[in-house]
Amino acid sequence: MRLTVIGTGYVGAVHAACMADLGHQVLGADVDPERIAALTAGRPPFFEPGLGGLLKRAVDSGRLRFTTSTAEAARFAATHFVCVGTPPLPGSGAADLRYVEAAVDELAAHLPEERDEQVLVVGRSTVPVGTAQRLAGRLGTAADVAWNPEFLREGSAVQDATRPLRIVAGVGAAWAEARLREVYAPLTRLGTPFVATDPATAELVKLASNSFLATKVSFINAMAEICDVTGADVLTLARAMGADPRIGPGYLVPGLGFGGSCLPKDIRAFAAGVEELGLGESVAFLRQVDAINSRQRTRTVELAAHLVGGSFTGRRIGVLGAAFKPGSDDVRDSPALAVAEAVRRRGAQVRVHDPEAADNARAVRPALLFAPDVTKTCDQADLVLHLTDWPQYRDLDPAELAQVVRTPAILDARHTLDAAAWRAAGWTLHAPGRPRQAERGQGGAP
């Protein structure tokens, strides 16, 4: 099939490459000429494991190309996927739909008056319920609108796109459902469930799913606070809870909390949108979920201060991790970077290391110091903070690292270091929600 992807940021670039890899002819369109130039050369403009090879293969095959011309995209196909961003509105947290509306309006202005087949505009952006209906009003008879939410996780987006857990298609006409079934036929033939529903339900699925996952993360972090006071072990608690199939272990992972461009934005936008509907009490708990998540950053800073004697003034702090999660160079709403900056503002000299996100972190937090390797990051450190769960950090030799720090003390905010090995090498290791005698860290960032 011939498809266009309008907007080639994170979601759009992954979707375009994967659709081409499935055998479709794909044209990606974006207003950013530098991004288009990079993609045309087969270079992803961001770090995502596996995307580089997939993108280059698709471009080299001739099935994928890119343009800055919406007019060209409008002529190229009759199925258009809209993948532009929906950032939060300042002050309210509600989704800013101006980019979605602009993309649809621009596309509509260039759609040919006569075509051999009906035109379908397919939204993949995360939007408030009712957006598809409003966009359909803007398009009139020029095209039908469907909603096909994405469920990509940074760090595993290629896997999520090529082997998704489900495909949700919100459609208003039988022909639109048939069109999307044809698009995704290579995946459904492999067993991926195809859930056909109305556009409003499809829009709600993404918001409800992310809100539920965020709730699980905040719940177990609330339990970690209780464990700190009672002496209980939050990791054992999480394992015991997760063994119940009604609960499950997924996202029941204590730590520094969630961040990035997805969960925090989505739960705030969802709460704001539902409040506008007059149903704020139904999602009031999401405000508390958000507050618990934010509190993990403050708690981590206070725990770090306690471990260096109550004051950061004159202290050297080594920070392992700047990305909001491993497998990504994304520092948007990164808990790790927020903690590092808060510690610096309280008087510490902070050095940060991240294997992929250092350049992005430096651009938004220029007052922090960045080091090219872990040894230089931790040189003469009074405390090391483990804030992003990169596998490289789990594989560190604590005995070797003990030789370069001033004080062998580490705060494992991600619960993934082998506590017994670090303590055997002479380190004081603290992990929130765990008794000091606990012997091994487990888990990982969601």
Side-chain angles (χ1 to χ4, degrees), residues 128-146:
V129 178
T131 300
Q133 183 178 13
R134 289 193 294 274
L135 293 177
R138 299 172 83 100
L139 285 166
T141 60
D144 271 26
V145 176

Side-chain angles (χ1 to χ4, degrees), residues 69-365:
S69 171
T70 304
E72 182 183 1
R75 295 189 301 268
F76 178 80
T79 304
H80 306 279
F81 287 90
V82 177
C83 301
V84 299
T86 53
L89 284 169
S92 71
D96 185 349
L97 299 180
R98 79 177 86 173
Y99 303 108
V100 172
E101 293 170 349
V104 169
D105 289 346
E106 179 75 6
L107 180 65
H110 295 286
L111 288 174
E113 293 185 6
E114 295 184 6
R115 293 198 67 97
D116 293 334
E117 55 185 332
Q118 292 168 290
V119 176
L120 184 63
V121 175
V122 187
R124 284 183 62 77
S125 307
T126 303
V127 296
V129 178
T131 300
Q133 183 178 13
R134 289 193 294 274
L135 293 177
R138 299 172 83 100
L139 285 166
T141 60
D144 271 26
V145 176
W147 220 261
N148 172 219
E150 54 83 17
F151 300 99
L152 305 180
R153 298 167 297 169
E154 292 190 48
S156 58
V158 171
Q159 174 69 22
D160 293 339
T162 56
R163 295 292 185 272
L165 297 176
R166 76 286 205 195
I167 297 164
V168 178
V171 296
W175 72 265
E177 178 183 337
R179 178 83 59 84
L180 286 175
R181 284 188 181 275
E182 187 178 357
V183 169
Y184 289 111
L187 298 178
T188 57
R189 282 196 294 265
L190 296 174
T192 299
F194 186 98
V195 181
T197 184
D198 57 273
T201 302
E203 291 165 336
L204 187 58
V205 167
K206 175 64 180 294
L207 294 166
S209 297
N210 279 356
S211 295
F212 184 79
L213 296 175
T215 299
K216 290 188 74 174
V217 175
S218 284
F219 179 86
I220 200 61
N221 277 331
M223 294 304 101
E225 294 186 46
I226 296 172
C227 288
D228 270 333
V229 173
T230 61
D233 187 335
V234 70
L235 292 189
T236 303
L237 174 66
R239 285 197 299 274
M241 291 177 61
D244 186 331
R246 297 170 300 173
I247 298 173
Y251 277 65
L252 205 62
V253 180
L256 191 49
F258 53 81
S261 65
C262 193
L263 288 188
K265 174 182 75 73
D266 287 357
I267 65 170
R268 293 164 193 161
F270 188 26
V274 174
E275 287 164 359
E276 289 179 2
L277 296 174
L279 299 172
E281 290 184 1
S282 299
V283 291
F285 73 96
L286 289 180
R287 298 298 187 187
Q288 189 61 29
V289 166
D290 194 15
I292 292 171
N293 187 63
S294 297
R295 190 161 68 241
Q296 303 319 302
R297 307 175 188 194
T298 303
R299 289 186 70 234
T300 300
V301 173
E302 294 304 326
L303 282 169
H306 172 74
L307 292 174
V308 294
S311 173
F312 287 112
T313 303
R315 300 291 191 175
R316 285 189 168 187
I317 307 296
V319 171
L320 303 182
F324 87 96
K325 66 180 293 187
S328 172
D329 62 355
D330 195 343
V331 298
R332 289 174 292 180
D333 200 13
S334 167
L337 205 54
V339 169
E341 176 65 12
V343 169
R344 183 198 68 81
R345 289 182 177 179
R346 289 177 56 168
Q349 182 189 83
V350 180
R351 285 197 183 95
V352 182
H353 175 265
D354 191 285
E356 296 293 341
D359 289 343
N360 289 342
R362 186 182 292 108
V364 297
R365 299 292 187 186

